[in-house]
């Protein structure tokens, strides 16, 4: 019985082996790891940006203040900023936010906001 390489079978023992320049395999592994890291960073960035948007909309703060709110909540709860952002997105969809995170978030938002809406009357 012979193996068919087109269907995913193994190469026959007498098949010619491709020669790979020294260091190429290591470089391919490094590049794959870098692509994985960049993919994760892009996903993380999108999550954080969405959470900032929620702070802007719900907390009536500027985008810079929304970023500062996320940073402070992360620092005061000792939870990574990306994880805080993910929790805030879940909160926006499902209404669930751990009580300790919610308390720090409310306190921090109170410190920064509400800001005045452009063209609107001053906040009370």
């Amino acid at each position: 019985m012979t193996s068919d390489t087109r269907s995913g079978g193994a190469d026959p023992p007498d098949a010619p082996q491709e020669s790979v320049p020294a260091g190429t395999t290591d470089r391919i592994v490094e590049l794959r790891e870098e692509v994985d890291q960049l993919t994760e960073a892009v996903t993380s960035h999108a999550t954080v940006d969405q959470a900032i948007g929620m702070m802007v909309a719900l907390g009536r703060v500027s985008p810079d203040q929304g970023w500062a709110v996320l940073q402070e909540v992360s620092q005061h709860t000792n939870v990574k900023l990306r994880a805080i952002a993910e929790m805030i997105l879940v909160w926006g969809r499902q209404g669930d936010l751990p009580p300790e995170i919610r308390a720090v978030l409310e306190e921090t938002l109170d410190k920064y906001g509400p800001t005045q809406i452009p063209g609107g009357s001053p906040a009370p």
Side-chain angles (χ1 to χ4, degrees), residues 48-86:
V48 172
D49 282 348
Q50 290 172 33
I52 290 170
M54 286 187 64
M55 296 300 93
V56 169
L58 299 175
R60 295 178 50 202
V61 297
S62 71
D64 288 340
Q65 290 170 324
W67 169 250
V69 166
L70 294 181
Q71 285 180 311
E72 284 192 35
V73 171
S74 173
Q75 290 171 355
H76 288 100
T77 59
N78 200 27
V79 176
K80 289 186 182 242
L81 192 136
R82 182 182 69 224
I84 294 292
E86 289 168 353

Side-chain angles (χ1 to χ4, degrees), residues 9 28-31 33 35 42 50 57 61 65-66 71 73 75 78 80 99 105 107-108 112 114 119-121:
I28 290 171
V29 169
E30 288 173 11
L31 290 171
E33 289 173 359
V35 167
V42 167
Q50 290 172 33
V61 297
Q65 290 170 324
Q71 285 180 311
V73 171
Q75 290 171 355
N78 200 27
K80 289 186 182 242
L105 178 61
E107 179 182 311
T108 307
Y112 283 95
S121 59

